[in-house]
Amino acid sequence: MLALALGGLAAFHHLKLPPVLPLLLERYGYDRTVAGGYMAIYAVVGLAFSALIGVVVERTGVRRALILAIFFFLLGSGLTMAVPEIAALVLAARGIEGLGFTIVAVIAPVLATSAATPRHVAMAIAIFAAWIPLGQLSAAILAIPIVDAGLWRPLWWIGIGLTLVIGVIAWCKTGHIAPRAPQSGGLSITRLQWGGLILNAAIFTLWSTGIFAFFTWLPQYLVEQRGLTLAESQIPYALPVLCILICSIASGQLLRKGVPYTTLIVLGLGLQAAVWFAIPWLNHPVIGLLAIALYGVGSGITPTGLFAGPTILLGQAKARSTAYGVIMSGRNVGVLLGPVLLPPIHDWLESWEATGVVFGGITALGMVGAVALKLVTKRIRAAESALAHTISR
């Protein structure tokens, strides 16, 4: 639960922006590409530091890293509230928060899986996979009365309060976790396993490109294209997030019952791609809400499979900070691309419908990658079986 709380806190800080973004655009006149950069800067920081943080955490321990993460969340939030009218400083503040996010994103999945027995690893992964929707849903719900009053700073103050509370809990709960000792060659990762891990990261890139484009700009789409007020847009924005939260846990049950993780990835990406492609036919409010909910279902299924990748590809003993640093780097590429790609693509194609076709194609490409990942996983299992047979002889 500590891993979920930390992940939810990190996601809250990242995703507190979209619900208030239309208000900030109107009040401070940010360029849309710059506004997309406020989301993407988290990815820039993640790309620069995820792999390094994974190695450092294994050497220095979890507790020191968490203290730094809490500090970065507080500093970044305070800076944004101090100078919201200076776009460059807001970007820097979001980057500082991104450092905290990157630390938590590497540490939290390791905390979640290392504490689980082999029987419960699948559910631990599924529960942790709910970290993004937990933080996102919290931000969306809390934003409703705040944006209705024409405000945004109270959402940042709430984030600071949550950071202090969860930070104290994390300090108390992680004191016993010591740095990992250097491992013997018996836990080395094979070339084939590295290939699977990198492919897992590449699929993460394609998935996160689509989903972060979707959720960053959904409120703006609802206001601009559908004529909703900003407060009204929070309900359809929150609906798919709730679906993600539910389906993340349900996917964990499927994983536990033996459904292949690559099957979950293909299914989730297929649902999301279908919604992107169907945008021209979503004008009816009820159909539109159902489609948004369906996107949330796919968005809950996919990350459960993706986060299961390191444990299934490498085994529980090898699925450590370094491995999660690799796949989180892949995720960060998508977080970087999605929010900043959508505005220029939309401006070039001059319609939301055509933009949906582009992002549907990106998402569908991830399905192809998942099929390839299934083949790699089979090869890894075959190699392990051959090795075990050789040793037994």
Side-chain angles (χ1 to χ4, degrees):
M1 293 308 294
L2 176 60
L4 181 60
L6 286 167
L9 174 67
F12 180 93
H13 280 291
H14 190 194
L15 295 162
K16 65 192 176 188
L17 180 68
V20 303
L21 186 56
L23 177 64
L24 296 176
L25 288 170
E26 178 183 351
R27 186 163 297 175
Y28 301 110
Y30 301 138
D31 178 87
R32 289 196 182 192
T33 302
V34 172
Y38 294 157
M39 291 291 287
I41 190 65
Y42 269 60
V44 174
V45 172
L47 282 171
F49 296 105
S50 284
L52 175 62
I53 287 171
V55 174
V56 171
V57 169
E58 288 195 7
R59 294 178 179 175
T60 63
V62 169
R63 210 178 197 194
R64 292 180 182 177
L66 284 176
I67 293 171
L68 273 178
I70 298 303
F71 171 75
F72 288 140
F73 285 142
L74 296 175
L75 178 60
S77 296
L79 183 58
T80 299
M81 288 194 294
V83 287
E85 67 280 358
I86 304 177
L89 289 181
V90 173
L91 187 64
R94 293 284 292 174
I96 292 170
E97 289 179 5
L99 281 170
F101 181 97
T102 301
I103 293 171
V104 171
V106 171
I107 289 173
V110 179
L111 289 175
T113 57
S114 63
T117 64
R119 182 184 174 189
H120 296 104
V121 167
M123 282 310 301
I125 291 169
I127 291 171
F128 174 71
W131 67 304
I132 292 289
L134 176 64
Q136 189 175 12
L137 185 62
S138 300
I141 292 173
L142 291 168
I144 294 173
I146 292 171
V147 298
D148 195 37
L151 303 172
W152 63 271
R153 279 187 176 88
L155 198 59
W156 265 244
W157 280 115
I158 290 171
I160 288 174
L162 289 171
T163 301
L164 292 172
V165 171
I166 294 174
V168 170
I169 294 172
W171 172 266
C172 296
K173 294 287 188 180
T174 59
H176 66 286
I177 303 177
R180 290 185 183 270
Q183 301 296 327
S184 66
L187 290 180
S188 62
I189 299 175
T190 68
R191 183 177 299 178
L192 191 57
Q193 287 174 323
W194 271 116
L197 201 60
I198 291 170
L199 183 54
N200 195 137
I203 300 167
F204 224 140
T205 295
L206 296 168
W207 173 74
S208 55
T209 296
I211 193 173
F212 277 90
F214 184 89
F215 281 111
T216 298
W217 294 105
L218 179 60
Q220 186 67 29
Y221 167 80
L222 294 170
V223 171
E224 180 178 283
Q225 191 78 2
R226 300 302 181 203
L228 275 64
T229 67
L230 184 53
E232 290 170 342
S233 73
Q234 302 307 311
I235 300 300
Y237 177 82
L239 175 62
V241 183
L242 179 61
C243 293
I244 295 173
L245 197 57
I246 295 170
C247 291
S248 293
I249 306 301
S251 299
Q253 291 287 0
L254 294 175
L255 198 62
R256 187 177 178 183
K257 290 181 181 296
V259 176
Y261 77 114
T262 50
T263 300
L264 293 178
I265 296 171
V266 170
L267 176 60
L269 289 172
L271 292 174
Q272 292 172 272
V275 174
W276 278 114
F277 287 132
I279 286 179
W281 299 278
L282 302 183
N283 292 323
H284 191 280
V286 175
I287 296 176
L289 282 174
L290 288 174
I292 289 175
L294 187 63
Y295 193 90
V297 171
S299 302
I301 295 171
T302 307
T304 302
L306 290 170
F307 277 116
T311 300
I312 293 172
L313 290 166
L314 310 182
Q316 190 175 2
K318 298 180 187 177
R320 295 178 176 153
S321 300
T322 302
Y324 281 102
V326 171
I327 70 163
M328 291 308 294
S329 293
R331 173 190 178 277
N332 286 326
V333 174
V335 178
L336 169 62
L337 294 176
V340 297
L341 269 182
L342 192 146
I345 289 174
H346 174 267
D347 292 345
W348 177 49
L349 298 175
E350 298 183 341
S351 78
W352 287 98
E353 291 78 8
T355 302
V357 173
V358 174
F359 282 90
I362 291 170
T363 306
L365 185 58
M367 298 172 65
V368 177
V371 173
L373 185 60
K374 182 180 182 67
L375 298 177
V376 171
T377 305
K378 285 184 176 180
R379 288 187 61 189
I380 291 172
R381 295 288 88 84
E384 289 173 346
S385 297
L387 178 62
H389 179 68
T390 302
I391 293 173
S392 65
R393 293 177 62 188

